[in-house]
Amino acid sequence: MAMNEPSTVLMIELLSLEHEQAGYQIEVGLTRDIGYARRMLNIDEFTYEQLNALAPFFGERMRLSLYPKWDPFRNSYYSTLIIMNQTFSETMYFACSEYYVSQLLQLKQVNDPHVQEEITVETTSPSIPPARRLRKKSKKRVGRLRLQSIMFACLVVVLLSLRMGGHVMDRAEGLEGPSLGASAEGIEKIVSLPFIPPIGKIETTPSQQEESEPTPEPSKPTPEPTEPPQEQTQRYEEIKLTGNKYTYSLPKGYVALSFDDGPSKYTKEIVDILVEHEVAATFLFVGNKVAHNVEAVKYANEHQMSIGSHSWDHSKMTDNGANQNQNNLAKANQALEQIIQSPITVFRPPYGAINDKLAAKVTEQQMKVLLWNRDSEDWRRKTPEDVIQFVHHTDPSGAVYLFHEKKITVEALPAIIQYLKGKNMKFVIFK
């Protein structure tokens, strides 16, 4: 199957926020399927003030959403800034202008050669230099903004009470989402409560359930857990990754399930569910967990699942030296290859953090980079229903779903697979 898609921005990180005589600017780090780059963007005063009101930050990574949304109540756009480090992740909301939205749309049009010429490729990892942290606003302005936030929160409470039983739907946010068009008109106009994060159970009316849930398929006998499937009806395809781009999406009509951070006590259960539904997935295993879960790795391999590396220790590898990364990758591959008796060719960087130096070491070890475009964020959700609702409220066509080996994800998986089959998606695994 051809994978010739245009170069595309996968992630944008906020590196600095500046107010100079020339105007208002932000420096951003762009992770694309062909590498990492930095770029300065001009923004308007309104969006600048909204972002600056969220400061100060102290060296955390700050991921900007590529998919602003329309707030019909305030008749304006809003977006999110996800602050993260190795121990936590927090989503913050800010209002933004149509001009800011248009700037993001231009960033997404990286197939334009004139746009590419303006981007200088860096070999260092995306980070926020301490000397360029976001500046604080004056106490007076911050106090005014806080008062506005409190007043807005009160408005949300009132709107919630008035809209009980109405449609409260929103696309799950993150790196993933449908591609925007070439202008601000391509952004989806949603009917939703503003600034409500898509976390927690989403209540649906009976009519919504009828539309979104497919008719369950007749139950199939569960295969014996100790025996590989004998004459399984293969309802999935294999895709061989290429080395010239990072893979993060699929052609329309195809979908991929991927599971990070195993092997674990849940690996076999996930495999059994996949086999029962006659599909397969890609497992990205962490090397230092393999010794304690050897049978789980064998089980996934025997049942035709694709197995890749998620590094040896799940460290942020863009902070490591070249030799350290080389040893990290080799050690993880050795641990896995001793079990499955075949080369490891798929690599997913922890946190999605990759730069040119790390990519070079990945290539040296004959591996290809696999990213994603639908992040379930199941690691912070509370119930299986939350994970299911995420899938129901995202476009599955062309999606590479990122899941983790967690109890709630295992419980949600049968319903997720049935839903995707009901949408006539063709499942794929990566090699």
Side-chain angles (χ1 to χ4, degrees):
M1 179 169 52
M3 297 290 292
N4 296 325
E5 296 185 359
S7 171
T8 306
V9 173
L10 311 181
M11 182 174 65
I12 175 172
E13 292 186 80
L14 178 61
L15 304 180
S16 68
L17 179 66
E18 300 179 4
H19 179 197
E20 308 293 348
Q21 289 185 349
Y24 302 92
Q25 291 184 318
I26 56 175
E27 183 181 17
V28 295
L30 306 175
T31 299
R32 298 183 292 159
D33 53 359
I34 58 173
Y36 175 77
R38 292 172 182 255
R39 186 177 177 188
M40 298 297 298
L41 288 184
N42 294 320
I43 62 173
D44 56 285
E45 181 179 6
F46 173 74
T47 304
Y48 170 87
E49 290 186 352
Q50 294 292 315
L51 281 169
N52 205 25
L54 304 179
F57 303 104
F58 301 99
E60 298 96 340
R61 296 181 68 190
M62 296 180 289
R63 182 181 298 179
L64 284 166
S65 171
L66 278 166
Y67 304 100
K69 291 181 170 61
W70 178 255
D71 175 4
F73 296 95
R74 302 185 72 183
N75 197 33
S76 65
Y77 292 101
Y78 73 95
S79 191
T80 58
L81 176 69
I82 302 177
I83 305 169
M84 67 188 75
N85 61 25
Q86 293 186 1
T87 59
F88 81 97
S89 173
E90 180 182 4
T91 301
M92 306 181 75
Y93 294 79
F94 65 95
C96 56
S97 68
E98 186 172 355
Y99 178 74
Y100 173 78
V101 173
S102 69
Q103 292 289 86
L104 291 185
L105 289 171
Q106 290 182 29
L107 279 183
K108 290 168 65 65
Q109 296 172 351
V110 295
N111 216 32
D112 185 338
H114 298 291
V115 174
Q116 289 184 355
E117 288 173 2
E118 297 176 6
I119 299 177
T120 302
V121 177
E122 301 284 346
T123 58
T124 56
S125 63
S127 61
I128 303 170
R132 305 187 71 183
R133 294 173 185 157
L134 302 187
R135 299 181 176 87
K136 287 186 178 180
K137 298 296 287 181
S138 67
K139 292 183 178 179
K140 180 177 179 181
R141 178 169 290 178
V142 171
R144 175 168 56 84
L145 290 170
R146 286 177 178 170
L147 178 59
Q148 291 176 347
S149 299
I150 294 172
M151 294 174 64
F152 178 73
C154 295
L155 174 61
V156 170
V157 172
V158 173
L159 292 171
L160 277 170
S161 63
L162 293 175
R163 292 175 56 82
M164 291 300 290
H167 296 285
V168 184
M169 301 189 53
D170 194 1
R171 264 184 208 280
E173 179 60 13
L175 178 64
E176 53 287 354
S179 176
L180 295 178
S183 68
E185 295 178 356
I187 295 180
E188 180 184 9
K189 303 279 186 176
I190 60 169
V191 180
S192 66
L193 293 179
F195 296 61
I196 303 297
I199 304 298
K201 186 173 182 180
I202 302 178
E203 300 294 339
T204 58
T205 63
S207 61
Q208 286 176 309
Q209 292 177 346
E210 291 172 3
E211 293 174 359
S212 62
E213 295 186 4
T215 303
E217 295 184 356
S219 60
K220 303 178 179 65
T222 304
E224 290 294 330
T226 57
E227 295 293 333
Q230 298 300 317
E231 295 184 0
Q232 177 178 333
T233 303
Q234 193 178 66
R235 298 182 63 177
Y236 60 90
E237 294 182 6
E238 292 184 1
I239 288 182
K240 294 189 181 299
L241 301 180
T242 60
N244 59 337
K245 288 186 177 183
Y246 304 153
T247 299
Y248 72 99
S249 64
L250 293 165
K252 295 297 183 182
Y254 289 81
V255 68
L257 305 179
S258 63
F259 295 87
D260 282 10
D261 295 359
S264 72
K265 63 182 180 180
Y266 299 114
T267 304
K268 288 187 177 182
E269 194 170 355
I270 294 171
V271 170
D272 285 343
I273 293 171
L274 294 166
V275 170
E276 178 182 357
H277 290 83
E278 300 177 346
V279 298
T282 302
F283 288 79
L284 291 310
F285 288 148
V286 178
N288 62 13
K289 295 183 178 182
V290 170
H292 299 290
N293 297 278
V294 172
E295 292 304 315
V297 177
K298 287 183 179 178
Y299 195 78
N301 184 58
E302 289 170 352
H303 288 80
Q304 289 75 55
M305 303 299 150
S306 177
I307 294 175
S309 168
H310 197 36
S311 82
W312 170 255
D313 55 3
H314 207 280
S315 61
K316 183 182 175 185
M317 298 181 71
T318 50
D319 289 343
N320 300 339
N323 291 336
Q324 186 177 357
N325 280 337
Q326 181 175 343
N327 294 334
N328 187 309
L329 294 169
K331 196 173 179 180
N333 286 357
Q334 183 179 12
L336 291 167
E337 289 171 359
Q338 286 178 346
I339 299 173
I340 69 173
Q341 297 297 306
S342 62
I344 297 298
T345 58
V346 180
F347 172 70
R348 173 171 285 168
Y351 313 104
I354 189 165
N355 57 17
D356 291 347
K357 290 182 179 180
L358 174 56
K361 292 301 177 184
V362 173
T363 301
E364 284 179 12
Q365 304 214 19
Q366 307 301 311
M367 293 191 293
K368 311 299 187 295
V369 175
L370 173 65
L371 296 174
W372 64 89
N373 61 355
R374 303 287 190 278
D375 186 354
S376 69
E377 295 189 337
D378 51 357
W379 53 270
R380 71 172 182 175
R381 298 189 188 272
K382 304 299 183 184
T383 68
E385 288 76 17
D386 297 338
V387 183
I388 294 169
Q389 290 298 332
F390 164 80
V391 176
H392 282 197
H393 298 147
T394 57
D395 180 8
S397 184
V400 178
Y401 282 100
L402 168 60
F403 297 106
H404 297 83
E405 297 194 18
K406 292 178 57 68
K407 184 175 185 295
I408 63 169
T409 305
V410 173
E411 295 173 355
L413 187 55
I416 290 172
I417 296 173
Q418 288 186 356
Y419 174 77
L420 295 174
K421 284 186 174 181
K423 293 292 186 180
N424 297 317
M425 294 293 105
K426 181 72 173 179
F427 289 77
V428 304
I429 59 174
F430 298 97
K431 295 287 188 178

